[in-house]
Amino acid sequence: MIFIYDIIIIGAGPAGLTAALYALRANKNILILEAKTYGGQIVAAHKIQNYPAIEDISGIDFANNLYNQVKKLGADIKYETVLHIDEQRKVTTDKNTYEAKTIIIATGAKNRKLGLPEEQRYIGKGVSYCASCDGGFYKDKIVAVIGGGNTALEDALYLSSIAKQVYLIHRRDSFRGEETYYNELKKLNNVKFILNSNCVKINGSDNVENIIVKDINNGKEQQIAIDGLFIAVGQIPSNEIFANVIDVDDKGYIIAHDDVYTSKEKIFVAGDARVKKLRQLTTAVADGSLAATVAISEMR
Ligand code: NAP
């Protein structure tokens, strides 16, 4: 006889692990499927300072705490890549097939690439998408950060404490990230803003040596010598494998109308993978708790 889980949770980031926490506390049989490592994108956060009641915690500590919390409750996490789900909630991975009464998709989003043809070639050779992972390699060196959201601002702040010089390059003249970060950055002598500009070329022999930055107003290009390039231009979802069963929008986010219900009954979505107004840790864990709660109530 095939074992049928109460809930299969796809993704072990903050949304998925919070869903697991709520489901396990309700004594449900759950399986968490994760393609890479637990924690999701939050592990790349050097500091989290906007989570209520926790003044300051690193992304890695947050992820470890949450992981340990669900493991203590007996969470079953399998490191398998989901390839397919069907309308009967059969989940096929690269290793197995499982069945569940309900599914919670919590697959988050991945880093958006800048889109330059040479970008891929320099990954790990000066190009990075994670300042807290790779920033340490740039002690007393020169780095550039591209982007204008919270990630870019936080990365620039973090890197300013390590690198000799940080260029923050953004395609507009104002940032969409929080003003607090911008105000802190303005006070730093080793941070230089290059606004209304795009990075149009990455150059180097083996490793990144310089970038070409183009002013979008006057078309002028300048070459900037750097050792490292941190690209922080947002995220994109990876929901292609679910699109056969549930509706996604034109950007690939799962349509959920600001709650966790997808277009298919008994399949729910939590966290950054869905259409939503605010993608933060607080909203990811809120989604995870709600998704588990509605999954429990609708599995009967
Ligand atoms: P984001 O807020 O979507 O910002 C992406 C930035 O990259 C934008 O400034 C955008 O420019 C720029 N951009 C996009 N494509 C580009 C391209 N091809 N070339 C140059 N620039 C490009 O992404 P994020 O900063 O990764 O943040 C994602 C979400 O996580 C947000 O909701 C953010 O608030 C949240 N987050 C929160 C925290 C925190 O609360 N501590 C930390 C990190 C992230 P435009 O502004 O011109 O569109």
Side-chain angles (χ1 to χ4, degrees):
M1 207 178 80
I2 294 173
F3 181 77
I4 301 180
Y5 287 94
D6 290 328
I7 310 176
I8 289 182
I9 298 167
I10 306 174
L17 290 178
T18 303
L21 176 67
Y22 274 65
L24 289 165
R25 285 171 56 82
N27 276 328
K28 298 300 165 197
N29 279 313
I30 67 156
L31 171 64
I32 306 168
L33 294 170
E34 167 59 53
K36 293 184 185 134
T37 51
Y38 68 82
Q41 297 221 46
I42 201 64
V43 298
H46 169 57
K47 274 168 186 269
I48 300 164
Q49 291 180 320
N50 58 358
Y51 194 86
I54 300 178
E55 244 178 74
D56 196 329
I57 187 169
S58 73
I60 288 176
D61 284 348
F62 185 93
N64 283 337
N65 290 350
L66 182 51
Y67 172 79
N68 291 332
Q69 197 175 4
V70 299
K71 279 304 275 184
K72 270 192 201 155
L73 292 171
D76 181 7
I77 303 188
K78 293 193 194 307
Y79 292 93
E80 300 179 17
T81 301
V82 173
L83 303 175
H84 184 258
I85 66 169
D86 72 12
E87 300 205 346
Q88 283 68 50
R89 297 173 304 283
K90 191 185 278 182
V91 179
T92 307
T93 73
D94 53 347
K95 296 186 181 127
N96 286 300
T97 298
Y98 305 99
E99 285 184 40
K101 294 178 190 164
T102 61
I103 294 175
I104 296 174
I105 299 170
T107 45
K110 60 187 176 198
N111 293 316
R112 179 184 287 129
K113 301 270 190 303
L114 203 51
L116 295 173
E118 65 279 18
E119 186 173 349
Q120 185 69 24
R121 177 156 75 88
Y122 290 110
I123 294 175
K125 294 177 174 179
V127 166
S128 170
Y129 301 85
C130 178
S132 64
C133 317
D134 299 328
F137 296 123
Y138 297 93
K139 188 164 168 43
D140 297 327
K141 297 198 169 173
I142 303 171
V143 298
V145 177
I146 301 179
N150 274 334
T151 304
L153 298 184
E154 283 184 0
D155 285 359
L157 265 177
Y158 173 58
L159 291 165
S160 70
S161 66
I162 300 170
K164 180 168 68 181
Q165 172 75 56
V166 178
Y167 294 100
L168 179 54
I169 301 163
H170 180 39
R171 63 184 179 185
R172 291 189 295 118
D173 62 358
S174 60
F175 293 99
R176 71 168 66 209
E178 287 172 32
E179 203 165 339
T180 329
Y181 295 132
Y182 177 52
N183 289 338
E184 275 186 64
L185 283 165
K186 279 195 296 190
K187 290 184 204 148
L188 299 170
N189 292 330
N190 65 339
V191 175
K192 184 174 176 195
F193 298 94
I194 303 182
L195 302 179
N196 295 312
S197 298
N198 279 316
C199 172
V200 293
K201 185 100 176 60
I202 306 168
N203 294 314
S205 45
D206 278 349
N207 296 308
V208 172
E209 289 169 13
N210 66 70
I211 50 174
I212 307 294
V213 174
K214 185 174 183 174
D215 186 306
I216 57 170
N217 291 327
N218 58 24
K220 279 193 184 150
E221 292 189 351
Q222 59 172 318
Q223 186 184 72
I224 303 174
I226 58 165
D227 302 293
L229 180 63
F230 289 86
I231 297 173
V233 295
Q235 273 90 46
I236 49 169
S238 34
N239 295 323
E240 306 81 16
I241 56 162
F242 307 119
N244 61 316
V245 178
I246 52 175
D247 295 341
V248 300
D249 74 1
D250 56 349
K251 293 184 182 131
Y253 289 103
I254 295 170
I255 294 174
H257 305 294
D258 227 24
D259 59 29
V260 297
Y261 289 86
T262 70
S263 57
K264 185 78 199 160
E265 62 168 10
K266 299 184 192 246
I267 300 180
F268 306 94
V269 59
D272 287 1
R274 75 172 177 90
V275 171
K276 66 195 316 193
K277 290 197 178 78
L278 184 64
R279 291 192 173 81
Q280 304 243 311
L281 193 50
T282 48
T283 62
V285 301
D287 278 6
S289 51
L290 179 61
T293 305
V294 294
I296 291 165
S297 69
E298 296 199 10
M299 72 179 51
R300 297 180 192 113

